[in-house]
Amino acid sequence: MSDQALSPAPRSAETSHPPLPETHFIRPPKKRGRRLFNSLQPWLFISPFIIIFCLFTLFPLTFSVYLSFQEWNPVTGLSGMNYVGVQNYVEAYDDPWLWKSLYNTFWLAIVSGVPQHLIAVPVAYLLVYAVRSSLRHVLTATMFIPFITSTVAVALIFYSIYSANTGILNQMLLGASKLPLIGALFAWVPDVMPIKWLTKSDLIKPAIAAVVIWKYTGFNIVIYSAGFVTVPQDVYDAAKVDGCNRLQQFWHVALPMIRPFIFFAMTLTIIGNLQLFEEPFILTSGDTGGVGQAGLTTSYYLYLVGWEWLEMGAAAAISWILFLIIAIATSIHFYFNGRKGMEGNR
Amino acid sequence: MRKTLALGIAASLMAFSAQAGDIRLDGFPDFNSHLDKIIPVYQEDHADANITYQMNNHGDHHKRLTTNLATGSGAGDIAIVDVGFIGTFINSGGFENLSGADYGADALADQFVGYAWAQGKGADGNQYGIPVDIGPGVMYYRRDALKAVGTDIDSVIKDWDSYIAYGRELKKRNIYLIADAADVAGLIIRTTVKEGEGFYFDKDGNSLITSQRFVTAFNLAKTIRDEGLDAEIGSWTNEWYDAFKSGSVATQLSGAWLLGHLQNWMAPDTAGLWGVSNLPNGIYGSWGGSFLAIPKQAKNKKEAWEFIKFMSADPRAQIAGLKNIGAFPVLTQTYTDSAFDEPIDFLAGQQGRQLFAHVAQRVPAVAPMKGDLIAEDVVLNGVLREVLNEGKPVEQALKEAERLIKRRVK
């Protein structure tokens, strides 16, 4: 085939045909309407999305930028707004509870984030290579259930698990201390009972982190299982020929091959964990972040400022500060891991 | 096509434009159980009145009302406002001035419990909220615990020292004095307010948080906690209900409304084991209360006002509230009703409502201030728990709280 056949029809072709009678072709008013319709058609089809996006995403986004430079108690109505310049940002800078909340946010992001992946990667590897595929699907689905369960339900269940006097966790620890063989390991338990998981400031964060790990590890297992499935068998065969054992295959073959998946899952964890809200909110009963604000995350704090203290301007400023911090954290992650992380796609 | 569209718009407009006599009341449960019973009574005299209501749970209702006021749309003709929010809401400019000529609320003032009426006043001295129920503060106590110690209730509540002494005796018998020591601090902070001061701020908006009232309150709660006299149980938790059922906690400071909760679902099997008394140290205080207000955006203000007068100032509706949902009346003339003399089986035949009425008429009025919501969160939910649970020094905690609040409240 010649090059010409692939390119648009040459001009000469137009002239070579005899022109059709004009009446067939030109009906000026209708044609114009139709052309307009044709050009608008695609927009029409995507308009539901565009309208919803503008109403519920674009408008609130731009409005919150505007709001962050205002002082506004929402109950005074829209006319109650006062322009205050950057005051909200300046005040946020020396707000002790905001700093506390940022510390808590990062603490929780790291402590509840890292174990998710340390557990999910080996579990996914075992699921893909050591379990029959029919069973694997059942197991993966089971581990995915916490992720799709309502956070409110999860947090409420954990709330009663952690209950100091009647919670099952403390009861199990007490029970363990009475067992014959391992009892010695738990000998310290009766002395510290009841352990107040949710009302001691140094226990609140670990208690919240445990819930987050439990809830989101299954999601990462699904991502990593999908990743391990993509690794071709012949790479392992080649490694075996070179004398790699199972562990070496995992470390030197499987792990590097799923790098893009690790990168993706980590990105989601960083963004999600820095926005943690429901788990700490419910576990501390919505009560200014628990004792000593130990469970007060930044999302939680901006909710408190906006909805409990009715300072929407200050809350908007805090939300943009949080956005900036998430953006920076994600960029750092991209800078250090991005190039390697994306490698698998090339 | 154009015609059907026009018809559709007209129809939807009609649906939105309320008929005369149509009013909607926005509130939170259990008001619906009460309304279901009193709306038919109201309609006997107002045959054309069509009253509907929209109930959301307590927190959501107030968030929704906030959004309604912010955007100037979506609110009903009457809004129920909890006392915790009244200070912020009535000064917002979003509600009708009921002292105005169209309403003339001030003429009703004498019929109401004084402190509740005062709470519904804005900073400009006008009435924006009409109280509909109140929570006179009392102490519930277990009669069996009292008997075990071998004392009488009057010597227990004489002052805070005698109250704590009772706690020490109870401790020897493995009973806690109170569920949460923080309640004592909260009570003292809310009740021993000097004339002309707010809870957390004085008239000029200066913080009172490092004043003696707060130091005393914090120290007393700390003593109770440090001596192990409280069960360290938060309100509205399963452990709290368990404590009422098992009798592991001997006293609970609360509003009159707790009685209904105790006998209906928290601990019905403990009927006859309870008694009710004045608060310790001769304090008069209140727990909770609700107000009715008309949003400026309301469509049927005249009818709304008529119904508010019925709910708040008509003895029939007020007594019905007491019977239907245990909402304690704000109308002083109702206190002579025979319902107040009824002995209450749950309280071992004590005429509890007489005590509630006695307390209601003696609670001092404290004006709500802008910033109360933040101050309460920071002081009672924030630093008080650090003092009690983590042993933070009282003075330091109060200074921190003051610094935080000063930044936020301008």
Side-chain angles (χ1 to χ4, degrees):
Chain A
M1 224 186 258
S2 71
D3 275 356
Q4 252 189 355
L6 288 172
S7 61
R11 243 154 210 280
S12 58
E14 253 172 56
T15 49
S16 65
H17 287 290
L20 290 164
E22 280 193 359
T23 46
H24 273 223
F25 233 4
I26 302 164
R27 275 177 293 182
K30 277 204 171 170
K31 190 188 175 186
R32 207 165 164 195
R34 182 155 201 100
R35 199 180 278 164
L36 189 69
F37 178 74
N38 280 342
S39 65
L40 283 183
Q41 210 175 13
W43 292 101
L44 219 65
F45 281 125
I46 57 169
S47 66
F49 166 75
I50 292 190
I51 291 168
I52 289 170
F53 172 79
C54 289
L55 262 177
F56 294 107
T57 308
L58 197 63
F59 169 72
L61 205 69
T62 40
F63 184 63
S64 79
V65 178
Y66 172 77
L67 203 54
S68 72
F69 297 103
Q70 311 280 329
E71 183 186 55
W72 186 43
N73 177 347
V75 297
T76 58
L78 287 171
S79 57
M81 273 190 211
N82 279 325
Y83 177 76
V84 292
V86 292
Q87 189 191 315
N88 288 326
Y89 289 94
V90 174
E91 273 181 6
Y93 177 75
D94 70 359
D95 181 346
W97 279 22
L98 177 65
W99 286 104
K100 228 183 227 185
S101 80
L102 285 172
Y103 168 77
N104 293 339
T105 304
F106 274 96
W107 195 101
L108 281 170
I110 294 165
V111 175
S112 73
V114 174
Q116 283 178 36
H117 298 271
L118 293 183
I119 298 168
V121 170
V123 169
Y125 184 74
L126 286 175
L127 278 177
V128 171
Y129 295 107
V131 179
R132 268 185 303 126
S133 77
S134 55
L135 186 63
R136 183 176 84 227
H137 293 308
V138 176
L139 287 176
T140 321
T142 314
M143 289 183 229
F144 196 65
I145 286 175
F147 179 72
I148 53 169
T149 309
S150 145
T151 310
V152 177
V154 168
L156 281 174
I157 289 168
F158 272 90
Y159 186 80
S160 44
I161 290 177
Y162 285 135
S163 167
N165 294 317
T166 52
I168 195 170
L169 178 59
N170 278 351
Q171 297 304 318
M172 274 170 60
L173 286 173
L174 268 179
S177 71
K178 285 176 193 140
L179 288 178
L181 282 169
I182 54 167
L185 280 174
F186 292 92
W188 51 273
V189 171
D191 301 331
V192 292
M193 276 294 158
I195 305 175
K196 299 184 177 99
W197 295 102
L198 297 174
T199 48
K200 277 273 177 232
S201 61
D202 39 6
L203 292 178
I204 293 176
K205 275 194 282 283
I208 295 170
V211 179
V212 176
I213 294 168
W214 177 81
K215 188 162 161 56
Y216 294 98
T217 302
F219 175 74
N220 290 310
I221 289 174
V222 170
I223 294 180
Y224 291 135
S225 302
F228 284 123
V229 170
T230 63
V231 180
Q233 188 56 43
D234 46 7
V235 189
Y236 289 111
D237 293 340
K240 263 186 235 162
V241 171
D242 288 344
C244 280
N245 62 26
R246 264 278 172 219
L247 194 67
Q248 285 168 324
Q249 283 174 39
F250 170 73
W251 192 254
H252 296 290
V253 179
L255 262 193
M257 292 291 281
I258 64 152
R259 226 178 234 158
F261 291 86
I262 298 179
F263 178 72
F264 170 69
M266 271 176 68
T267 311
L268 289 188
T269 302
I270 290 173
I271 296 174
N273 277 8
L274 290 177
Q275 293 180 325
L276 218 53
F277 173 77
E278 286 134 312
E279 291 88 354
F281 183 75
I282 296 166
L283 290 174
T284 61
S285 330
D287 202 19
T288 64
V291 177
Q293 291 71 54
L296 187 72
T297 61
T298 307
S299 296
Y300 188 167
Y301 185 51
L302 77 90
Y303 166 86
L304 200 65
V305 172
W307 285 102
E308 297 290 325
W309 300 351
L310 301 173
E311 294 187 30
M312 286 295 168
I318 294 172
S319 76
W320 278 98
I321 292 170
L322 178 64
F323 166 76
L324 216 71
I325 287 167
I326 294 176
I328 292 169
T330 317
S331 335
I332 293 173
H333 168 59
F334 268 67
Y335 181 78
F336 284 107
N337 305 325
R339 203 169 297 158
K340 282 182 184 168
M342 299 298 209
E343 236 167 33
N345 283 354
R346 301 248 166 88
Chain B
M1 171 68 200
R2 195 169 287 171
K3 207 177 235 173
T4 49
L5 194 72
L7 272 175
I9 290 172
S12 55
L13 278 176
M14 269 166 67
F16 278 112
S17 75
Q19 301 287 305
D22 277 4
I23 56 172
R24 195 186 83 209
L25 187 147
D26 290 355
F28 44 88
D30 219 5
F31 271 101
N32 46 339
S33 335
H34 178 44
L35 287 166
D36 286 341
K37 287 185 182 152
I38 61 161
I39 290 172
V41 178
Y42 180 72
Q43 283 167 334
E44 284 170 14
D45 307 330
H46 302 78
D48 58 338
N50 177 26
I51 299 159
T52 54
Y53 56 74
Q54 191 168 59
M55 296 287 142
N56 284 293
N57 76 45
H58 185 270
D60 289 344
H61 163 69
H62 290 97
K63 288 196 176 66
R64 193 168 171 273
L65 190 56
T66 304
T67 344
N68 292 152
L69 293 172
T71 54
S73 71
D77 300 283
I78 302 175
I80 301 179
V81 182
D82 184 274
V83 66
F85 295 87
I86 195 83
T88 321
F89 278 29
I90 53 176
N91 290 320
S92 68
F95 289 112
E96 285 285 300
N97 172 9
L98 303 175
S99 297
D102 291 347
Y103 304 101
D106 293 350
L108 301 171
D110 293 345
Q111 304 178 35
F112 284 80
V113 165
Y115 84 89
W117 187 261
Q119 285 173 332
K121 268 193 202 309
D124 56 2
N126 288 318
Q127 201 71 26
Y128 291 92
I130 305 294
V132 64
D133 65 47
I134 48 173
V138 289
M139 187 174 92
Y140 296 88
Y141 63 91
R142 291 280 295 216
R143 291 175 188 273
D144 46 349
L146 200 65
K147 200 180 260 175
V149 173
T151 177
D152 63 288
I153 194 65
D154 290 332
S155 10
V156 170
I157 59 169
K158 191 161 68 71
D159 50 33
W160 288 115
D161 287 337
S162 65
Y163 181 68
I164 289 175
Y166 178 52
R168 291 183 188 127
E169 288 301 314
L170 288 168
K171 198 187 174 190
K172 290 178 197 158
R173 293 160 180 83
N174 285 321
I175 303 172
Y176 292 111
L177 175 63
I178 189 171
D180 189 353
D183 287 357
V184 171
L187 172 70
I188 295 175
I189 289 169
R190 284 201 321 266
T191 53
T192 55
V193 182
K194 276 188 207 139
E195 190 81 29
E197 283 183 350
F199 294 112
Y200 301 93
F201 305 94
D202 68 11
K203 263 189 198 140
D204 308 317
N206 298 315
S207 151
L208 298 168
I209 288 157
T210 45
S211 71
Q212 193 54 41
R213 169 159 53 103
F214 287 83
V215 178
T216 312
F218 271 53
N219 280 330
L220 202 61
K222 192 173 153 57
T223 308
I224 293 174
R225 174 64 53 89
D226 289 351
E227 291 194 25
L229 305 182
D230 76 330
E232 303 187 40
I233 292 172
S235 303
W236 309 107
T237 60
N238 285 326
E239 291 164 308
W240 201 45
Y241 316 141
D242 283 343
F244 290 143
K245 283 187 193 118
S246 67
S248 61
V249 166
T251 69
Q252 173 71 40
L253 313 168
S254 190
W257 44 263
L258 185 68
L259 176 60
H261 293 282
L262 280 172
Q263 63 182 12
N264 293 339
W265 62 276
M266 282 178 181
D269 296 338
T270 58
L273 293 173
W274 292 89
V276 66
S277 76
N278 275 309
L279 295 167
N281 202 23
I283 282 177
Y284 289 101
S286 74
W287 257 268
S290 321
F291 295 80
L292 300 175
I294 305 177
K296 276 198 174 138
Q297 47 183 290
K299 293 179 191 77
N300 276 323
K301 291 169 186 164
K302 203 164 161 276
E303 284 78 6
W305 176 238
E306 287 305 313
F307 191 64
I308 286 180
K309 278 197 284 187
F310 172 72
M311 271 184 87
S312 289
D314 189 316
R316 287 175 299 168
Q318 286 279 298
I319 295 282
L322 180 66
K323 289 183 175 160
N324 295 339
I325 54 171
F328 199 78
V330 274
L331 211 56
T332 47
Q333 56 170 294
T334 60
Y335 298 163
T336 51
D337 189 278
S338 59
F340 283 80
D341 301 330
E342 277 173 26
I344 296 168
D345 293 339
F346 191 81
L347 301 174
Q350 194 181 353
Q351 290 166 311
R353 286 170 187 160
Q354 285 187 351
L355 177 71
F356 298 152
H358 169 88
V359 172
Q361 287 161 294
R362 282 164 185 79
V363 175
V366 180
M369 304 266 179
K370 183 189 167 201
D372 279 355
L373 275 177
I374 300 178
E376 187 179 307
D377 260 351
V378 172
V379 174
L380 293 185
N381 295 331
V383 293
L384 177 58
R385 291 188 197 286
E386 284 182 77
V387 169
L388 297 182
N389 297 23
E390 324 257 282
K392 190 177 223 177
V394 172
E395 313 267 330
Q396 186 197 333
L398 289 173
K399 266 193 195 126
E400 261 184 46
E402 184 164 58
R403 186 176 150 238
L404 207 75
I405 292 163
K406 267 188 182 159
R407 289 189 51 269
R408 282 260 165 247
V409 181
K410 284 145 282 191

